[in-house]
Every structure is written in C-alpha cells, then in structure tokens.
Amino acid sequence: KMKRTLSDRESAARWVDPELWHVTLQFLGNLEGARLTQLEHAFHSWKPSFPELKLELQGLGAFPTATQARALWVGVHSTQAFFDLQSNLTAHFSAAGFAGDGREFRPHLTLARLRNPQSVSDLVGLGGRKSFGEYAVEEAVLFESVLQGQMPKYIPLIRRPLGHQ
C-alpha cells in the first residue's frame, strides 16, 4: 500500500530490496584500502554470543521529518539484548581503532529513500504504532554502502552468525 501511495504521487522512491533490509548497529563512514582490511579483520575477530535475539518491527517514521522526508523507515522495538549487542560491537570496534560517528543509536529499518524531500505524513499516520511482527536476528553483516547517484547501494562483505561461538 505504501508503494502504491507513493507511486500515485509520481514520487521517485528507491525501495530497499528486502534481501538487504538491515538495522545499522554502527556507521563507520568512508573506509578504503588497508583501513577497510583492518575493519574486516576486526569484524572477523568479534565473538558475538547473543542467541535467540528478536526484534519487533513497529510503527513508521521518516528522516529527517515526516513533512520533509528523504527516507521512510519502520521502527525497531528493541530489547535490552539488542542494545547489548550494539554496545558490544561498538566497544569491539572502538578497541580496534574504529570509532563510530557519535550519533545516538536509534534502531530502524529503512524501507525507501526518496529522491526529493516530500511529505509522507499520511504514510507515517497509516503505520502509526502498528506492529509488523517479531523477527529473529540470526546474523550480523558488515555492509559497504556505495552511492549510486544520490542513493546508497548496500553490498554485504562479511556475514557473522550471532549464536554461541
């Protein structure tokens, strides 16, 4: 219904492929060459042990605001275990020399990026506090984000299971 509503407005929206839906745990910025290789080693050496981690997708929102949206997202109602996972990864990367961007962790799943800022207040209202289900989190993925025009493309580099190691 969201896709139909946006296409009815002739909005240029790029929908994230469901195979690439993800919740960003830490954004590290632009890394190349040896620095990217160091990050890959740090990710390989991380020992996550967070079995049976679940997230509930709930509500819709937009960045930066619903009236001037550039991205449409679904909210992530996270558990303490999920915040512990994020904190654990952040600490591991920090110890390896990779500080995050300093932004507050606000878990969300980006559904679409809009080519031009526009109001999506009706869509955000449509989703309200609606629950979209609970999902098991089974792996962490190191993604590379490459801009294609003004839209990022997500390329999975490394996948790590989250169960007992």
Side-chain angles (χ1 to χ4, degrees), residues 3-163:
K3 282 185 174 183
R4 210 170 36 249
T5 300
L6 283 175
S7 68
D8 287 349
R9 295 182 199 163
E10 297 181 22
S11 301
R14 180 170 169 242
W15 294 89
V16 177
D17 182 337
E19 292 290 318
L20 296 175
W21 283 352
H22 65 277
V23 178
T24 300
L25 296 175
Q26 185 174 10
F27 182 78
L28 296 168
N30 189 24
L31 301 173
E32 296 178 12
R35 194 76 174 128
L36 180 58
T37 301
Q38 290 171 339
L39 175 66
E40 289 172 343
H41 288 301
F43 192 66
H44 273 299
S45 69
W46 179 49
K47 304 290 186 220
S49 182
F50 293 86
E52 300 184 30
L53 185 61
K54 295 187 185 226
L55 298 179
E56 182 183 353
L57 300 182
Q58 182 177 10
L60 294 175
F63 287 131
T65 66
T67 57
Q68 286 293 307
R70 299 276 311 178
L72 181 65
W73 52 262
V74 63
V76 174
H77 179 72
S78 47
T79 62
Q80 185 59 48
F82 185 70
F83 279 104
D84 291 347
L85 171 74
Q86 189 273 339
S87 177
N88 181 276
L89 178 64
T90 299
H92 180 77
F93 277 168
S94 182
F98 294 93
D101 62 1
R103 289 187 231 172
E104 178 187 354
F105 179 54
R106 293 177 41 195
H108 64 280
L109 190 149
T110 301
L111 298 174
R113 296 191 180 278
L114 308 174
R115 294 193 193 283
N116 299 304
Q118 61 188 275
S119 177
V120 292
S121 298
D122 56 336
L123 293 174
V124 170
L126 180 70
R129 299 294 302 156
K130 178 180 177 169
S131 175
F132 296 100
E134 185 175 83
Y135 300 88
V137 179
E138 299 170 351
E139 67 180 353
V141 180
L142 180 63
F143 279 102
E144 179 179 14
S145 178
V146 178
L147 282 180
Q148 290 186 333
Q150 295 181 346
M151 301 292 189
K153 176 181 179 181
Y154 305 114
I155 303 166
L157 300 177
I158 303 169
R159 296 179 181 276
R160 295 291 314 274
L162 293 179

